[in-house]
Amino acid sequence: MTGMPVQERIVTVDTPSRTYDVHVGSGMLEQVGPLVREACTGEVACVISDSTVAQLYADRVLASLASAGWKTALLTFPAGEASKRISTYGKLLEGLAAAGLTRDDCIVALGGGVTGDMAGFAAATYLRGCEVAQVPTSLLAMVDSSVGGKTAVDLEAGKNLAGAFFQPSIVVADVDCLDTISHDLITDSCGEVIKHAVLSDPALFDELGRTPLNGGDLSRDALVRIVARNVEIKRDVVDADEREQGLRQTLNLGHTIGHAIEAASDYHLGHGSSVAAGMCCMARGLARLGETDEDVARRITTIVARYGLPTDTDVDHSVLLRLAHSDKKRHGDSINIVVPHAIGSVSVEKVSCERLASIIDAGCGTKER
Ligand code: GLY
């Protein structure tokens, strides 16, 4: 570290429903109050956070909000994916009402993906919609879930099955928060970072291969630049297709098989790790069937392995097929898959269940052969 001030980067997201800035920098938690003041209306800012993140950062964020003239409230829920359910969401709505939040006031979602998704869904539905500021504290939330307006809670029937597209009014990402994230969780999130590079940035792909993001030797400036670049990649997609009618489906690269791997592990394998394995299996399967280049599959598998992420799965193929086919992104009897043609070039293709079975057979469990 040089001791030089770290340059803040601002990425503007411009969707049909809302235009907003994503601020990425170091020391940003102290800026949350004034930034939310500029972006949001109202008098009350209600911070929603989980028990772990609240203990680490809520005081600083509440103080920053108060210093910018906000009346504040704090609602917390137990940390963990198990909290991402209707009952917690219901309690949050009751808490917002008890705090006297009006439609003009705002919610500040402070935390990782679970918090952002659930607080975002509360904002989308409380009084038919109030503003939300996303303050992501995990790498996955910074590079992916805080941007683009997908909000959700899980149902007994599956993950993220109730939700809404609801864009935030501002996103403030402080990379200093990553200091308190475990190496394993950073590594898991790198699955989505690698996915972004495969989607649209060969230079980022090369950089991630040279200097792994989970290696611990990146300067704050490099971290800010890489997080902001990921936000730009996602921004370019959601600006063009906010509601996942077309281009946004490319963000599901690795997810068709990845979701199946994740579900088969009963969600013990992390989302980013599952996506990484799903991306490798899909690329390898397509390459073996002659539908993409062997070299693309090799390069994706090499970088995923370099990060210590899984490159394959030993889950039974019939189980993978059943779980992939029960995904909410299925359309009738066909499913859209994302085909990597080169690093930086992908397309969405509709395939039948039989075709997906062939890809899974060709690309999964290859170590056993
Ligand atoms: N995480 C994929 C999307 O936001 O569309």
Side-chain angles (χ1 to χ4, degrees), residues 249 327-336 350:
Q249 292 176 35
D327 194 271
K328 65 181 178 297
K329 294 183 177 80
R330 176 169 59 89
H331 307 277
D333 271 343
S334 61
I335 190 160
N336 287 349
K350 192 184 248 193

Side-chain angles (χ1 to χ4, degrees), residues 74-298:
L74 172 66
L75 297 175
T76 62
F77 60 88
E81 180 77 30
S83 284
K84 195 176 162 184
R85 55 171 65 169
I86 293 281
S87 55
T88 318
Y89 159 74
K91 280 186 198 152
L92 290 176
L93 294 181
E94 295 293 353
L96 294 170
L101 215 76
T102 71
R103 190 183 272 171
D104 298 330
D105 295 323
C106 77
I107 291 172
V108 177
L110 173 68
V114 170
T115 300
D117 279 9
M118 205 158 42
F121 189 40
T125 48
Y126 179 70
L127 302 179
R128 300 198 180 87
C130 64
E131 290 186 287
V132 61
Q134 291 281 353
V135 183
T137 57
S138 72
L139 182 59
L140 193 70
M142 288 181 196
V143 299
D144 185 11
S145 57
S146 67
V147 178
K150 275 193 183 175
T151 71
V153 293
D154 297 343
L155 300 183
E156 296 293 335
K159 280 184 73 172
N160 295 330
L161 292 188
F165 286 100
F166 191 75
Q167 301 295 339
S169 298
I170 186 169
V171 182
V172 184
D174 185 342
V175 298
D176 298 348
C177 295
L178 300 180
D179 292 346
T180 58
I181 306 287
S182 71
H183 179 261
D184 283 356
L185 215 52
I186 293 280
T187 298
D188 184 65
S189 307
C190 287
E192 292 280 6
V193 174
I194 294 168
K195 180 199 81 177
H196 279 156
V198 174
L199 285 180
S200 55
D201 194 338
L204 177 64
F205 186 90
D206 289 343
E207 180 179 5
L208 293 172
R210 275 194 310 275
T211 319
L213 197 51
N214 61 348
D217 31 276
L218 281 174
S219 68
R220 283 280 186 269
D221 263 324
L223 208 47
V224 168
R225 180 173 50 74
I226 290 172
V227 169
R229 179 64 196 126
N230 274 268
V231 172
E232 283 172 350
I233 291 170
K234 181 147 186 194
R235 180 271 315 272
D236 290 346
V237 173
V238 298
D239 276 7
D241 176 24
E242 181 183 12
R243 297 179 75 87
E244 204 169 315
Q245 305 295 303
L247 187 68
R248 190 164 182 168
Q249 292 176 35
T250 60
L251 293 176
N252 297 327
L253 174 66
H255 283 61
T256 307
I257 299 176
H259 270 154
I261 295 171
E262 194 178 3
S265 78
D266 213 8
Y267 298 95
H268 291 299
L269 189 65
H271 178 71
S273 305
S274 305
V275 166
M279 215 165 24
C280 295
C281 290
M282 180 61 79
R284 197 164 43 231
L286 289 166
R288 288 193 174 157
L289 296 173
E291 291 175 25
T292 194
D293 204 280
E294 285 281 357
D295 189 53
V296 182
R298 187 191 51 74

